[in-house]
Structure formats: structure tokens, C-alpha cells
Amino acid sequence: MKLKRFLLRYYPPGIILEYETGGALKTKSIDLLDLSPETDIEELISEIRKSEPLITASRINQVKLLILRLKDKLSQQNDHRFYLFKELQAHILPLTNVVFNKSGSSFITGSYDRTCKVWDTASCEELHTLEGHRNVVYAIAFNNPYGDKIATGSFDKTCKLWSAETGKCFHTFRGHAAEIVCLAFNPQSTLLATGSMDTTAKLWDIQTGEEVATLTGHSGEIISLSFNTVGDQLVTGSFDHTISLWDVSSGSRRVHTLIGHRGEISSVQFNWDCSYIISGSMDKTCKVWESASGKCMATLAGPKDEVLDVCFDSTGHFIATASADGTAWVYSAASYQCVARLEGHDGEISKICFNPQGSRILTASVDKTARLWDVQSGVCLQVLDGHKDEIFSAAFNYEGDTIITGSKDNTCHIWR
Amino acid sequence: MGLLSILRKLKSTPDQEVRILLLGLDNGGKTTLLKQLASEDISHITPTQGFNIKSVQSQGFKLNVWDIGGQRKIRPYWRNYFENTDVLIYVIDSADRKRFEETGQELAELLDEEKLSGVPVLVFANKQDLLTAAPASEIAEGLNLHTIRDRAWQIQSCSALTGEGVQDGMNWVCKSVNAKKK
């Protein structure tokens, strides 16, 4: 094994090692999820040396510089004020979802008008209209970090794979018996997972366009799914009140069924190091599960109504939940204690996410506003006001300095 | 009503829930009718650029009513909403005689849709509060409603503005759902 070069990853902090083994180029990452501006560098380096044979004495200074750069990034003050940069008359019918590519250079919008559009973030120009679906385009995704492909899942029961560069359709995946409502690329961008109202999830080969597996076992609609960071496991959440954990590498076996919620599941996600899964449910709680054992570690209660969305921050230190009662909650992933309660929305919150730095939370609500919150204090920093109808989706770019919101009012707003 | 609630309303409904599709040309009064049903303020209604969904309780049923915009450019998208429809309500502006032909054509096309086959249809002859409104009997004749054989149908004169006739129409809706679910 020979180390070729280092790559830096800001969010979550980490150093990627590119190395050669048996003539092939490979990468592995050293995750520095606990890095803070106060971290003792010498101590950290000696720890890294112990666990990573590729880091030899001659490389120490290089690694030290990289960690310094990460620390610099972490200590940057973030007091960015967002303003409405552009209102895009994006579609002729309501939007469903909005998603950035990894670099944030472009983003996509899905709509009830059966199209998905690709936009250039800087110029706000429409680059492509992805046409071909015969019903609502509901779920959309970039194959991040690459960003050269786009997947669209539709109420027409099909999923399509497109070139992000040319807008050409590579494949149409047929096989689901009902609406496709969630989808995700695996991190290697070799597989696409789709979840459907037909109670199954399917895995598709990106290259050949063939179906690889059908994941059966749920008795209700699959409403949310997500790969872990490594890409060997997939988690699915269903209206049948359960969550399933699937081993994707070995013939798509169901590893665990996570039972405990007393209502439909709304959202599921892994943390970065793949050790935990969180799930939001109509039973007004969020549960934390250990992926290895499938055991429920904690039930995060508080909201007075259904939990509609849940997410980890990029390092996995915090959990945020959004509720139909108009409140959002932030919990420590270590102690499961509530850190902050975000109050102010005048109606249900349908989407919640952290900025990549983990210092801010963005919420989207039926009250026609999106709001920006400080994670530590729970203070509302900004109300992003301007949409004329409910906001269905909202997202940060990777830098955390641009926000897009998609609304039932057929427009997409870009905030900078 | 976020995206998730829309998904929940999308799935095939349990026995006590009814999915109602509200269609018709633009400016026919669909949204006013929807708000009247939900007992909401009807003083500020603008053309629907997408859709509105409301749930109302009636005779032991939960009626999930989908009001879809009727402008010409978005009519092709009506079929997005056909799945799992229990009853179709078609709203006509009874005073807009110039568009009777157009509205008749749209209705005929809807009745030909495979996904709506056998779905009971209620035609609301709306805006009866206007002096120039055509009576329901004249509209029924103009639309050849009497030739419909493949489903239950009914025409009901109403005013979404005053609420007159609306409840009578909804009573028919519940009756026909009862008949269908038995």
C-alpha cells in the first residue's frame, strides 16, 4: 500500500487518503467528527498514527497542516444574513422537492407539472427540463458527490435516470406497482434505491438499468429511505409503523426490523458513522436505534403532534425533529437530552435540516415561511418570508451560504 | 397540509374516508365551493394555480376533497389526481353560456377516462344566484347527461356563494358512496 495524496473534507471534518494497492487506486477516510477549535493537535496526530499505518513519520507535517485548515474552517464565525436573491417562476404547478448537487453549482426542482428542472445556481438560469414522466415528479436526487446524474421518481410508478449535463434520459426503471415517493443513490453511485406506495423498495443498477433486487417485507407504503455512509446498508421507513434495515451488499437481506413506533413512520436517516438510525413517526416521537443490534436506544418525546421529519447534523452529534404542532426540537445524540426547542412557526413544519457546519437549522412550514435557527440557543435568527403558499422543501448548499425553498405557489426562491 | 399529508391522502382510503375530485373550467367556483364546504371565509379567492385539499366530516364520512385548478394550461394535469377517486364533482358556471360547449367537452373527456370509469359524478350547476344563470334542466340537456349509462350521476343546482343547494349535492355524494361501498 502506497499513499498517493491527501484530500480534505470540511463537512463533516475528515481527511481522505488516496492510496495505491495492487495497482489499483483506492481511498479511505479518517473521520475527525469530534474535531473542534480547541482540539490538541499533537494528541490527535499520535492517535491517528496509532490507528492508520499509511500515516508515516514523513507525513506528519502534512497532516498537521490539514488539521489546522479544518480547525480554521470550524472556527469561522457564521453570521451570514440571507436575503431573497431570486424568485424563480419555476413550474406551472406546485413544486415537490428541491435538491442541490454537492458543489452547489446547480440544483433541481420536481413538480406536479410532471417535470424536473435543472438550474444553474449562480445565474438562476434553467439548464434543462427533464420531460417524460406521465405524472407528478415527487422524489428527486443527484448522485452526489459526483453530481453527473439525476434520478426522478414519479407517481407514474416509474423512475428515470438522467444525465445532469445534457438532460438526456439514460434509463426508465419500470416494475413498481404504485407511486414512487422516495429514492436515493448509494454513495458509490452504482445503485439506486426506490421506495413505493406498493410497499416495496427496489434496487436498480445504474449502469445497466436492470433491477437488482426487490425488498419485500413491509406491509405498508414505504415513505422514506436512506443509505448509510459506507453504502452497505439501506434503511426504509413505512406507514406500517416499522423500519427495516437491509444489507445491500449480500443479496439484499433484511437484517433487522425495528419495531416500537405506534404510528406511521415519516422519515428515517443514518448518522455519519453508520452506528445509529433515527426515525420520526406520527406517534409524536423520534426514536434512536443502534444499527448493529437493531435495539431502540432512546425515544425522543416532546412534540404535541406528529413528527414529520428528522435529521442528524453532518457529524452526528445532534438530532433535529420537526412536528405538525409547529415546533422543532434539537437533541444531543450522546445524552438524548433536548438541547433546544424551536418555537415560532404558525403551522406544521414539513422539512428540517442542518447546515453542513451544524451551527444552523432550517425549517420549512405550511405558514409560508422558512426559518433559520441557531442550534445552540434555539433562537430564530431569520424568517425567510416571501412565498405565497406552503413551503414543501428547503435545502442548504454545501458551503451553507445559499438556501433554496420550493413551494406550493409554483415558485422556487433562492436565498443568499 | 405538507407533502407527507398529501401522500397519506393518496393511498387507498379506509372505509370511512372518501376521496372526492372537484373539477371544472376555471372561474367555475370550485375553490369557493370547497371553502363553503369547510365553512371558511370565501371573500378572497384567487385563481387556483395548483390544487387545494380539505377534509370535511359529513354523515359519518371523512370527505377528502381535492380542488384542482381549471385553467386551460393546467387541465392536462387533471389526470395526476384520478387515482383512487370515489366521487367526481364537476362544477359548471351556469351563467357563462359562451363556455357551455367547452365545459361539456371537458366533462365528456373525463367520463371517457379509464381511471374514472364507474365513478359516480355529481354536476353542480353553480352560480344560480346570478340572474342570467341557466337552470339545471337546460344544462343537463345541453350536456346530454341523460345518455350516461355506465355510472350513477346527478345534477344539482347550487350557489357556492350563498351555500344554497350545496348540502343537497353532498347528501347525494354520501348516498352514492354508501351504495358503492356496500
Side-chain angles (χ1 to χ4, degrees):
Chain A
M1 290 210 294
K2 185 165 181 279
L3 184 61
K4 302 296 279 186
R5 62 171 178 157
F6 293 109
L7 302 162
L8 205 54
R9 185 188 64 220
Y10 286 128
Y11 314 119
I15 298 169
I16 318 287
L17 312 180
E18 206 174 83
Y19 64 100
E20 207 177 57
T21 179
L25 209 55
K26 293 197 167 175
T27 61
K28 63 169 145 180
S29 81
I30 303 173
D31 292 343
L32 304 171
L33 304 183
D34 294 323
L35 188 73
S36 77
E38 293 79 39
T39 304
D40 182 326
I41 293 204
E42 299 301 334
E43 214 172 287
L44 180 57
I45 288 196
S46 78
E47 259 176 60
I48 292 174
R49 279 207 63 183
K50 265 184 245 161
S51 57
E52 184 46 71
L54 281 173
I55 307 293
T56 51
S58 63
R59 298 287 194 171
I60 296 291
N61 278 333
Q62 243 179 313
V63 173
K64 205 177 279 183
L65 276 174
L66 291 173
I67 294 175
L68 274 173
R69 273 175 64 192
L70 287 174
K71 282 180 77 167
D72 274 353
K73 196 80 176 177
L74 283 174
S75 46
Q76 268 172 19
Q77 280 302 313
N78 179 0
D79 47 10
H80 186 86
R81 296 281 303 173
F82 290 88
Y83 67 98
L84 178 58
F85 173 71
K86 188 93 179 184
E87 172 179 316
L88 296 176
Q89 301 295 327
H91 292 273
I92 64 168
L93 284 175
L95 272 71
T96 49
N97 279 299
V98 293
V99 178
F100 273 111
N101 65 354
K102 170 83 189 270
S103 73
S105 63
S106 70
F107 65 90
I108 48 178
T109 54
S111 167
Y112 270 76
D113 72 9
R114 302 175 192 162
T115 68
C116 172
K117 293 191 181 192
V118 190
W119 304 86
D120 181 80
T121 314
S123 68
C124 300
E125 266 174 54
E126 181 185 321
L127 300 175
H128 301 289
T129 297
L130 311 181
E131 277 177 299
H133 280 297
R134 298 207 178 109
N135 210 322
V136 182
V137 174
Y138 191 82
I140 54 178
F142 268 107
N143 66 331
N144 289 334
Y146 310 100
D148 63 331
K149 294 186 185 73
I150 293 165
T152 53
S154 167
F155 283 4
D156 72 7
K157 307 170 190 173
T158 74
C159 171
K160 286 175 186 281
L161 183 74
W162 314 78
S163 159
E165 281 121 20
T166 65
K168 202 182 113 212
C169 180
F170 290 131
H171 297 297
T172 299
F173 302 118
R174 291 173 216 277
H176 277 298
E179 295 88 347
I180 294 174
V181 297
C182 50
L183 53 77
F185 285 95
N186 68 344
Q188 293 77 19
S189 191
T190 53
L191 287 176
L192 182 72
T194 52
S196 164
M197 301 291 274
D198 71 8
T199 77
T200 72
K202 284 177 187 286
L203 297 176
W204 312 86
D205 186 308
I206 300 287
Q207 209 58 46
T208 64
E210 304 282 324
E211 181 181 320
V212 177
T214 298
L215 312 181
T216 56
H218 280 296
S219 62
E221 294 79 357
I222 294 181
I223 230 65
S224 175
L225 56 74
S226 133
F227 278 100
N228 67 357
T229 316
V230 178
D232 61 348
Q233 290 193 323
L234 179 79
V235 61
T236 53
S238 165
F239 275 171
D240 70 8
H241 305 189
T242 73
I243 298 132
S244 294
L245 185 60
W246 311 83
D247 182 343
V248 182
S249 51
S250 67
S252 307
R253 187 172 54 89
R254 177 147 69 165
V255 186
H256 292 298
T257 306
L258 314 181
I259 300 173
H261 276 298
R262 293 177 184 173
E264 293 102 321
I265 307 299
S266 55
S267 169
V268 286
Q269 203 191 34
F270 279 97
N271 65 346
W272 177 269
D273 72 14
C274 318
S275 54
Y276 294 107
I277 293 163
I278 46 171
S279 56
S281 165
M282 302 304 176
D283 71 5
K284 308 177 188 174
T285 71
C286 166
K287 283 180 187 284
V288 185
W289 313 81
E290 191 179 56
S291 353
S293 65
K295 249 179 37 195
C296 178
M297 307 302 287
T299 300
L300 311 179
K304 294 188 184 67
D305 207 341
E306 301 165 341
V307 172
L308 301 174
D309 197 17
V310 296
C311 63
F312 273 110
D313 72 336
S314 70
T315 58
H317 290 143
F318 291 104
I319 297 165
T321 69
S323 168
D325 71 3
T327 63
W329 298 65
V330 189
Y331 304 86
S332 155
S335 68
Y336 308 128
Q337 294 301 306
C338 172
V339 182
R341 199 165 110 189
L342 316 181
E343 283 182 302
H345 274 299
D346 186 25
E348 76 174 47
I349 304 176
S350 43
K351 284 283 166 64
I352 190 162
C353 61
F354 284 89
N355 65 347
Q357 293 81 355
S359 58
R360 301 279 182 264
I361 282 177
L362 177 64
T363 50
S365 166
V366 302
D367 73 4
K368 306 175 189 176
T369 71
R371 289 174 197 236
L372 194 68
W373 312 80
D374 181 72
V375 172
Q376 297 295 337
S377 66
V379 170
C380 178
L381 301 169
Q382 265 192 281
V383 178
L384 307 182
D385 200 359
H387 278 296
K388 295 181 189 70
D389 211 331
E390 303 173 18
I391 302 179
F392 283 157
S393 48
F396 274 107
N397 66 342
Y398 182 70
E399 279 299 323
D401 58 6
T402 307
I403 289 170
I404 42 174
T405 50
S407 163
K408 192 159 171 277
D409 71 8
N410 309 350
T411 72
C412 175
H413 288 185
I414 302 176
W415 311 81
R416 279 190 173 165
Chain B
M1 178 107 32
L3 282 181
L4 197 69
S5 326
I6 295 174
L7 285 189
R8 287 161 95 195
K9 296 227 183 305
L10 197 72
K11 58 180 197 170
S12 49
T13 47
D15 277 355
Q16 326 77 289
E17 284 192 34
V18 181
R19 183 174 149 111
I20 296 173
L21 198 54
L22 203 54
L23 297 175
L25 302 190
D26 47 302
N27 199 36
K30 295 179 291 300
T31 305
T32 308
L33 185 73
L34 181 76
K35 296 212 165 185
Q36 182 67 253
L37 282 173
S39 311
E40 287 180 16
D41 176 32
I42 51 172
S43 50
H44 303 287
I45 291 179
T46 52
T48 303
Q49 303 292 338
F51 57 87
N52 302 296
I53 311 172
K54 295 207 181 298
S55 295
V56 283
Q57 291 290 341
S58 179
Q59 304 181 19
F61 287 113
K62 184 180 177 194
L63 308 179
N64 297 316
V65 188
W66 295 60
D67 155 38
I68 318 295
Q71 291 166 52
R72 184 180 286 278
K73 68 166 184 186
I74 56 180
R75 273 179 232 160
Y77 298 94
W78 281 355
R79 55 176 67 222
N80 283 1
Y81 308 87
F82 289 169
E83 214 84 34
N84 298 325
T85 297
D86 292 307
V87 178
L88 171 65
I89 297 180
Y90 195 78
V91 182
I92 291 174
D93 177 350
S94 309
D96 193 0
R97 292 166 190 267
K98 284 202 301 282
R99 298 177 76 192
F100 280 179
E101 193 185 329
E102 185 185 353
T103 197
Q105 231 161 34
E106 292 288 354
L107 177 62
E109 277 176 34
L110 285 172
L111 298 182
D112 274 344
E113 287 285 348
E114 202 186 311
K115 281 191 177 147
L116 294 176
S117 77
V119 171
V121 59
L122 168 68
V123 177
F124 265 128
N126 191 22
K127 305 202 184 178
Q128 292 295 328
D129 50 289
L130 298 177
L131 284 171
T132 52
S137 56
E138 185 188 324
I139 291 172
E141 201 170 320
L143 298 182
N144 287 320
L145 294 182
H146 303 282
T147 62
I148 299 177
R149 297 265 179 269
D150 57 350
R151 71 188 76 218
W153 65 271
Q154 169 84 342
I155 184 159
Q156 171 69 48
S157 53
C158 80
S159 164
L161 205 60
T162 66
E164 208 181 329
V166 172
Q167 205 43 56
D168 295 329
M170 297 318 287
N171 289 344
W172 182 85
V173 167
C174 291
K175 218 174 68 193
S176 62
V177 169
N178 260 326
K180 217 176 127 191
K181 296 220 165 176
K182 263 173 200 163

